[in-house]
Amino acid sequence: MLAIYLSTPEVENDRRALNTFHGMRRAKKEGRLMGIAPYGYINRSHEDGKKYIAIKQPEASNLIWAFNEVAKGHIPTDHVRVQMNKRDGSSMSRSAFSKAMRNSVYCGKIYIENYKQEEAYHIDGKHEALISERLFNQVQLVMGKKRKVEGPGSRVLGNERFPLRGLLTCPNCGKNLTASGAKGKSKTYYYYYYYYYYHCHYKCGFRFDSDKLNELFETEICKLEFNPIIKDLLKSILLDNYK
């Protein structure tokens, strides 16, 4: 008899937890997002007590800007986050930003998890979307590295240490140079350093310090002067390529 009395509260707690789970799942199927509103939204309630999420500014505008920047693929995702955090509104951590970029809520969808015999799927939410589904899918391609995001000249963009990667040819064999970092132990210090090089394939063996080469390239570029008309035309071309 004592065991029955002791187990009754536990059974009651399990029943309440199960009812809560089914209630939240039913609300999701109706297109209502439950729980704490994600970044860019705020929790609100209708007069009948039903909860919903509404757009919160300026965070919503910040995230729209971030989605568009990540979709371009011109700079690393975390650099976009750092720039976004400089704007008005609350900031985001690296992990929170990464989750936000993969959250389908922002394109108006709600994810329904698989349960028993029911498979997982997405439904249209009743909340206002911040971005289009097309933009969201573009960001997923960039985040998942399912395709290479290329800039002018079909050159893969990304690492700011190697702006000339894909544009240089090896003086020994004539093939395109790639770039990477190598970790080596200093004779003076006990910790490790990274050394960055433009280099050819391993059979050729050619390599050159990336910092020195970047500096030499910048020095030569500074010597050039453009005709004012050409300068305006070049500016227009660059703006068109990086919109």
Side-chain angles (χ1 to χ4, degrees), residues 4-240:
I4 295 176
Y5 281 117
L6 293 176
S7 62
T8 299
E10 184 177 352
V11 173
E12 182 66 17
N13 288 338
D14 291 342
R15 185 187 65 80
R16 289 179 178 177
L18 192 60
N19 288 342
T20 301
F21 170 79
H22 285 297
M24 294 181 68
R25 186 175 179 84
R26 183 168 56 253
K28 281 187 174 182
K29 290 182 177 180
E30 294 174 358
R32 295 185 290 118
L33 185 67
M34 305 302 294
I36 300 176
Y39 184 93
Y41 288 98
I42 188 171
N43 292 102
R44 290 283 186 262
S45 297
H46 291 291
E47 294 180 357
D48 58 2
K50 288 188 176 182
K51 299 183 181 300
Y52 70 99
I53 58 173
I55 290 178
K56 179 185 178 183
Q57 296 292 359
E59 285 79 3
S61 296
N62 292 346
L63 210 55
I64 293 172
W65 175 86
F67 268 104
N68 281 283
E69 290 301 310
V70 172
K72 294 176 183 178
H74 292 166
I75 59 176
T77 303
D78 195 53
H79 289 194
V80 176
R81 178 188 67 85
V82 172
Q83 293 299 319
M84 188 196 77
N85 286 343
K86 295 179 181 179
R87 298 161 66 98
D88 293 336
S90 57
S91 60
M92 297 186 75
S93 66
R94 181 179 299 179
S95 60
F97 185 78
S98 179
K99 290 180 180 178
M101 291 294 105
R102 298 183 183 278
N103 193 344
S104 59
V105 167
Y106 295 111
C107 68
K109 300 290 183 180
I110 293 181
Y111 179 70
I112 309 296
E113 299 84 356
N114 62 316
Y115 180 66
K116 293 184 177 180
Q117 302 299 322
E118 189 176 4
E119 295 183 356
Y121 60 97
H122 285 87
I123 65 166
D124 293 330
K126 292 183 177 180
H127 62 281
E128 184 178 352
L130 294 186
I131 61 172
S132 66
E133 189 173 352
R134 180 180 180 181
L135 177 58
F136 179 78
N137 291 334
Q138 173 73 9
V139 170
Q140 304 319 298
L141 289 174
V142 174
M143 295 282 289
K145 297 181 181 179
K146 293 182 179 179
R147 70 176 183 86
K148 293 181 179 179
V149 181
E150 299 178 346
S154 298
R155 184 167 65 91
V156 178
L157 303 173
N159 197 323
E160 61 183 7
R161 285 185 175 273
F162 312 120
L164 302 177
R165 179 163 57 182
L167 299 176
L168 304 173
T169 55
C170 177
N172 294 342
C173 65
K175 293 185 177 180
N176 285 341
L177 294 181
T178 184
S180 60
K183 186 166 65 173
K185 191 173 183 180
S186 171
K187 295 181 180 179
T188 306
Y189 301 98
Y190 291 102
Y191 50 87
Y192 285 87
Y193 290 93
Y194 274 95
Y195 300 91
Y196 299 93
Y197 299 92
Y198 290 106
H199 60 86
C200 197
H201 58 87
Y202 72 96
K203 291 183 179 180
C204 175
F206 175 81
R207 61 171 54 190
F208 197 91
D209 186 277
S210 62
D211 292 333
K212 291 182 180 179
L213 188 55
N214 293 339
E215 186 177 347
L216 289 172
F217 180 78
E218 185 176 352
T219 301
E220 293 300 318
I221 285 292
C222 291
K223 296 178 182 179
L224 301 177
E225 293 185 4
F226 289 100
N227 182 289
I229 298 177
I230 300 299
K231 185 185 295 185
D232 293 339
L233 179 60
L234 181 60
K235 181 179 179 180
S236 299
I237 294 174
L238 290 174
L239 290 175
D240 288 340

